[in-house]
Amino acid sequence: MSDVKVVDLIKKFDKVLAVNGVSIDIKSGDFVVLLGPSGCGKTTTLRCIAGLESPDSGEIYIEDRLVNDLPPKDRDVAMVFQNYALYPHMTAFDNIAFPLKMRKVPKDEIERRVKEVAKLLNIEHLLSRKPRQLSGGEQQRVALGRALVRKPKVFLMDEPLSNLDAKLRIFMRAELKRLQKELKVTTVYVTHDQAEAMAMADKIAVMNNGKLLQYDEPSAIYHRPASIFVAAFLGSPPMNMIKTSMSRKNGDLVLDAGAFMYKLPKEIGDLVSNQASSSEVYLGVRPEDLLVSVEKSPNSVFSAEVYVVEPQGPNLVLDLRVGDQIIKALTPLTLDVKLGQQVWVGFDLKKAHIFDGRTEATLY
Amino acid sequence: MKRPYLFFIFPSFIFLFILIAYPLIFSLYYSFQFWNLATSHEPQGFIGLTNYLTLLNDPRVLNAIIVTIMLAVPTTMIELLLGLGIAVLLDRDFKGIGIFRAIFIIPTAVAPVIAGLIFRFMFYQGLGTGIIPYILHIIGIGTPERGILGDQQTALIGIAVTMIWRWTPFFAITLLAGLQSVPNELLDAAKVDGASRYQIFRHVKLPHLRKLIAIVFIICFMMHFNAYDEVFAETRGGPGEATTTLSYLLYWEGLVYYNIGLSAAMTWLIAILLIIIVNIYFKFAFKGEKI
């Protein structure tokens, strides 16, 4: 059963198309992350689900009920905002109790439910304080409490962690995920942080320019991106895109990157050449999938010059110069390289991708 | 120099002293003197607290205090309620709000003595009856025989109406600005939390306005407490002393009778009274919060 269904959603602001034909089907109990750069339409999509914006066209269903014309209060959704949006004149208790008071829940039940939620979030000792007497993380918990206390059908979260410092963000990220799994509430979560999306989501919807580019499980999005944009948006450092031109040599399909040539096996070559819209294609390889060695090995595909060396904890991030392009490679700290040194780089085609240079779609 | 900063704050200190302290000290000094400008061009001798005691035993002063409070408190309250009502009605996005605001503020921009004169004509009853008695007669309410401003019972209401006409737009515009400064996220949160339009107003917008209302209210109250121009233009304190406010009495004492010492003492009496009222007000309005 699907809990939230968005069909062909279109939303314009004046002449700007904020959301352009987005369709998402969210299963009951799933944690779905809308991921994309700022201005991609993810927050607008969320606000349409909440009922804070009304779509220009398309349908939104919550538990199979068309909610397009329902005001937010009748949709049984709860929302957590980026700036928490706590009512500044109310104590934490009153903030959490607010949705219940608005629904005329009896006083003793309000008291019981607020305390229950406060216990779950470890904020029992903060209930008598006002928002300005709370730290960012505590305010965040109160805002969560206000969403939880109602036991809504759907949780909507609009970048709820982005105002916290890095350490607390990673802590709260895990907390949130645990809570969501415990309560099994369908959640739609908006973020521009790909690491957050990868860490939390059951499914990620990658958006750009108002369009849904790919909607799948995190590992599928990471390993089988549908386009250059998706491939480049996820992962840190992002996937290397090596510009090549495709040509036939003795019947084989060869990718010419300028600095090196790469011959594709027959079946992959046919697959790529049949789909490609032009001879310009990108070879995409994630930094961790590049194998760097000082000596030439059977896997080596091309040689490159070490341009920058950045040690990052257990790994080294190498910037390598190949012809006129710079690519990044993730290698173990044990690799001993110097600036300017020539190294050999190889990769496994199974872990690489080929993208159409014009349509940006994935060819392989 | 040991304390060079003293040298640098000296000029501003002089300015502050001339602008604020000197008039205060000047009037305080003369409030202890007997001085009638009609008979002498300089103070005629130290008389201690006599001026103050004279005033406290003067039935006209007590009457003026009552008239002033009867005028200032209800007037400010009605302005607040009307202004808040108008602000709520206008609190939505529509084209031309800027022009509307500019037009709307005109009554507040009109000089009070002009407003007083306009209303005096509008209240006038007799040859060429003004619009207000005319309408009141048509709808069957009627007016006193001597006119609204000529009757002991209604003259103060006439003055209050003038002040309400002038100051309601000020409340409306200030409170509208306050309403529109409520963060959108709070309104969104309240909508999702299930609050109706009224509940959003009652539980989110109104608390947001609380401090603004408290400040605007007391500022306008102080202004109305010192009401003078409208009284001068409309009733000259009459009939009898029905509209003699403290400020009007002060004007009469100082600039008609030339009792400089007595009016200096009265200035201080009014100031002390206002300070007491304002302090009590702040205690209740803010309950120890920081403003």
Side-chain angles (χ1 to χ4, degrees):
Chain A
M1 193 187 82
S2 71
D3 237 20
V4 178
K5 199 161 137 189
V6 177
V7 184
D8 290 330
L9 182 70
I10 291 180
K11 174 71 191 173
K12 288 181 202 144
F13 291 109
D14 291 328
K15 281 175 187 150
V16 183
L17 207 54
V19 180
N20 187 2
V22 168
S23 297
I24 307 177
D25 210 333
I26 297 169
K27 275 203 316 226
S28 186
D30 261 6
F31 194 118
V32 168
V33 172
L34 304 181
L35 175 69
S38 53
C40 75
K42 55 192 191 303
T43 297
T44 308
T45 306
L46 191 79
R47 289 173 63 85
C48 285
I49 298 174
L52 294 170
E53 303 285 353
S54 51
D56 289 315
S57 76
E59 287 120 45
I60 295 165
Y61 298 89
I62 295 178
E63 285 192 340
D64 296 326
R65 176 169 169 223
L66 184 68
V67 295
N68 278 36
D69 298 323
L70 283 185
K73 68 187 177 81
D74 297 330
R75 294 192 183 196
D76 201 10
V77 296
M79 192 155 167
V80 179
F81 295 83
Q82 183 173 355
N83 302 319
Y84 319 135
L86 295 176
Y87 308 116
H89 56 281
M90 296 182 199
T91 60
F93 182 97
D94 289 332
N95 263 287
I96 297 173
F98 189 76
L100 300 178
K101 278 185 190 156
M102 293 305 106
R103 285 175 171 71
K104 311 241 164 7
V105 174
K107 258 200 168 144
D108 47 337
E109 198 189 332
I110 291 181
E111 176 108 15
R112 186 179 59 73
R113 277 166 71 175
V114 171
K115 291 215 163 125
E116 194 182 290
V117 166
K119 198 172 165 193
L120 188 70
L121 293 167
N122 279 323
I123 48 171
E124 288 158 297
H125 58 294
L126 304 172
L127 286 178
S128 61
R129 296 203 201 157
K130 294 222 171 142
R132 66 185 146 80
Q133 297 165 307
L134 300 171
S135 70
E138 291 166 344
Q139 286 185 27
Q140 170 71 63
R141 280 159 189 271
V142 174
L144 269 175
R146 187 173 64 183
L148 286 172
V149 77
R150 258 173 51 204
K151 301 179 179 151
K153 286 191 193 124
V154 185
F155 266 151
L156 305 173
M157 306 201 182
D158 187 4
E159 311 221 5
L161 302 183
S162 59
N163 281 12
L164 302 177
D165 62 64
K167 208 173 147 190
L168 196 58
R169 189 157 61 227
I170 288 167
F171 174 74
M172 280 304 287
R173 174 163 109 186
E175 284 279 280
L176 254 181
K177 189 172 177 176
R178 181 188 61 81
L179 251 150
Q180 197 269 340
K181 289 293 158 224
E182 220 171 278
L183 302 168
K184 298 186 183 67
V185 185
T186 311
T187 303
V188 187
Y189 185 106
V190 162
T191 184
H192 61 263
D193 182 342
Q194 54 90 20
E196 205 168 286
M198 294 290 286
M200 300 174 88
D202 292 319
K203 273 183 148 188
I204 297 178
V206 184
M207 292 180 70
N208 192 32
N209 288 331
K211 289 200 163 154
L212 179 63
L213 302 179
Q214 191 171 4
Y215 177 47
D216 214 328
E217 284 163 17
S219 66
I221 296 223
Y222 191 78
H223 295 296
R224 294 190 299 280
S227 67
I228 291 188
F229 181 86
V230 177
F233 198 76
L234 280 103
S236 171
M239 187 187 283
N240 295 301
M241 295 291 167
I242 302 164
K243 194 175 173 182
T244 68
S245 70
M246 185 169 68
S247 60
R248 290 257 171 211
K249 254 180 202 160
N250 310 326
D252 289 323
L253 199 69
V254 175
L255 301 180
D256 180 359
F260 66 94
M261 308 273 251
Y262 186 74
K263 195 177 87 177
L264 293 176
K266 178 143 179 30
E267 62 275 24
I268 296 173
D270 289 346
L271 189 79
V272 169
S273 66
N274 286 340
Q275 295 177 75
S277 66
S278 72
S279 66
E280 188 182 298
V281 295
Y282 285 88
L283 180 63
V285 191
R286 294 212 176 270
E288 64 269 30
D289 294 332
L290 285 176
L291 309 161
V292 182
S293 55
V294 179
E295 303 289 322
K296 188 170 181 176
S297 75
N299 296 330
S300 298
V301 177
F302 56 88
S303 75
E305 182 198 329
V306 177
Y307 190 62
V308 180
V309 181
E310 293 174 54
Q312 282 187 354
N315 295 314
L316 279 182
V317 178
L318 299 182
D319 282 30
L320 303 171
R321 199 197 322 240
V322 190
D324 52 1
Q325 301 186 57
I326 302 270
I327 59 171
K328 282 183 185 282
L330 208 63
T331 68
L333 205 55
T334 47
L335 189 80
D336 186 23
V337 287
K338 288 180 190 67
L339 287 187
Q341 188 181 339
Q342 288 289 320
V343 292
W344 285 94
V345 184
F347 58 88
D348 179 356
L349 190 60
K350 279 183 205 140
K351 289 182 178 169
H353 306 267
I354 298 169
F355 301 99
D356 192 310
R358 265 212 354 231
T359 63
E360 302 203 341
T362 304
L363 300 172
Y364 167 70
Chain B
M1 212 185 301
K2 243 180 168 179
R3 291 180 182 155
Y5 62 86
L6 284 179
F7 175 77
F8 290 108
I9 63 169
F10 189 67
S12 33
F13 179 77
I14 291 287
F15 266 106
L16 276 180
F17 183 79
I18 292 171
L19 289 174
I20 296 171
Y22 180 75
L24 286 179
I25 294 167
F26 176 88
S27 65
L28 188 64
Y29 171 74
Y30 289 119
S31 73
F32 298 116
Q33 304 279 333
F34 177 76
W35 183 14
N36 188 308
L37 200 59
T39 54
S40 161
H41 66 276
E42 55 190 1
Q44 290 150 294
F46 179 79
I47 51 169
L49 289 170
T50 311
N51 282 331
Y52 290 91
L53 294 173
T54 311
L55 287 171
L56 290 176
N57 289 316
D58 188 341
R60 290 180 315 152
V61 172
L62 184 65
N63 176 66
I65 290 174
I66 292 168
V67 167
T68 304
I69 288 173
M70 290 281 285
L71 180 65
V73 176
T75 306
T76 320
M77 280 179 167
I78 292 168
E79 285 166 1
L80 171 66
L81 290 178
L82 285 178
L84 187 61
I86 293 169
V88 169
L89 287 179
L90 293 181
D91 180 26
R92 53 204 74 194
D93 286 329
F94 60 87
K95 270 190 180 160
I97 180 115
I99 298 168
F100 188 83
R101 250 180 237 171
I103 295 172
F104 207 60
I105 199 72
I106 288 176
T108 310
V110 168
V113 69
I114 305 293
L117 282 174
I118 293 170
F119 271 82
R120 187 166 148 192
F121 289 126
M122 285 171 42
F123 280 125
Y124 182 72
Q125 209 161 316
L127 211 56
T129 295
I131 183 93
I132 295 168
Y134 179 76
I135 289 174
L136 287 176
H137 277 285
I138 283 179
I139 61 175
I141 293 174
T143 52
E145 208 179 322
R146 296 154 185 264
I148 292 167
L149 296 177
D151 191 282
Q152 296 253 4
Q153 308 290 324
T154 54
L156 202 60
I157 295 174
I159 288 171
V161 167
T162 314
M163 285 158 87
I164 291 166
W165 176 79
R166 270 194 78 220
W167 287 101
T168 300
F170 173 76
F171 271 91
I173 280 167
T174 314
L175 298 182
L176 178 60
L179 281 175
Q180 295 188 334
S181 74
V182 180
N184 276 328
E185 270 201 338
L186 280 188
L187 301 179
D188 286 345
K191 279 182 210 160
V192 176
D193 282 343
S196 63
R197 277 181 77 96
Y198 169 74
Q199 285 171 322
I200 290 177
F201 175 73
R202 170 70 190 79
H203 296 290
V204 182
K205 290 185 175 178
L206 207 54
H208 182 83
L209 285 187
R210 205 177 67 94
K211 284 182 185 177
L212 181 66
I213 287 176
I215 297 281
V216 177
F217 185 89
I218 196 67
I219 289 173
C220 279
F221 170 79
M222 286 194 283
M223 231 147 17
H224 295 345
F225 196 87
N226 290 325
Y228 160 77
D229 305 63
E230 288 92 343
V231 177
F232 178 80
E234 288 182 66
T235 61
R236 308 255 162 160
E241 290 189 346
T243 58
T244 303
T245 58
L246 278 169
S247 294
Y248 194 73
L249 187 64
L250 174 64
Y251 153 78
W252 202 253
E253 210 51 64
L255 294 175
V256 178
Y257 293 146
Y258 292 126
N259 283 325
I260 303 299
L262 201 65
S263 51
M266 201 151 130
T267 311
W268 276 92
L269 219 57
I270 294 174
I272 290 165
L273 196 63
L274 253 185
I275 288 168
I276 292 170
I277 292 173
V278 170
N279 271 296
I280 293 172
Y281 173 83
F282 271 102
K283 223 168 210 149
F284 281 99
F286 291 102
K287 294 187 188 106
E289 285 174 71
K290 272 187 195 154
I291 302 160

